[in-house]
Amino acid sequence: MCISKWKYLIDPSKFEDIKEMNNGGFGILYRAKYTETGNYIAAKILKNKKKKQVNQEIAILIKCSGLPTFNLFYGYSRTDFFNNNNVTLYM
């Protein structure tokens, strides 16, 4: 089954109250408020990742998001909150 990644594309400018929570080897984890719903989400900014690695991670998150034991995957963006070219995953 082919799942379109395009429907998961999110505009990073729709977030406010952005706070860094943790910085690790896989990227930087933030808490941010999604302005369209008022909900807080976790956002993981991936740094120095190759396109193939990013695509694989997005595909896994999309596939797993339907499982009852997995936190919901909201989507991703091609830039981060600071308008840098770092892919950001929203969960």
Side-chain angles (χ1 to χ4, degrees):
M1 178 169 97
C2 182
I3 299 172
S4 172
K5 292 184 299 189
W6 297 111
K7 76 176 191 174
Y8 291 94
L9 200 55
I10 291 178
D11 179 359
S13 70
K14 304 226 179 212
F15 292 90
E16 62 185 17
D17 194 18
I18 301 161
K19 295 193 169 116
E20 184 176 331
M21 303 303 286
N22 198 358
N23 192 335
F26 293 107
I28 304 171
L29 186 64
Y30 288 88
R31 182 197 76 172
K33 184 177 181 181
Y34 191 44
T35 58
E36 291 190 2
T37 63
N39 294 335
Y40 281 89
I41 55 93
K44 179 176 158 185
I45 296 178
L46 304 174
K47 293 200 170 200
N48 303 322
K49 291 276 191 170
K50 293 181 180 173
K51 186 176 180 179
K52 184 177 178 181
Q53 292 171 309
V54 170
N55 287 338
Q56 287 173 339
E57 188 157 356
I58 291 170
I60 290 168
L61 288 169
I62 290 170
K63 189 174 182 179
C64 292
S65 67
L67 300 175
T69 57
F70 186 79
N71 288 339
L72 184 62
F73 172 66
Y74 291 104
Y76 72 100
S77 62
R78 293 186 176 143
T79 59
D80 60 29
F81 302 121
F82 315 107
N83 213 21
N84 297 316
N85 288 325
N86 295 311
V87 172
T88 304
L89 305 176
Y90 303 97
M91 297 165 269

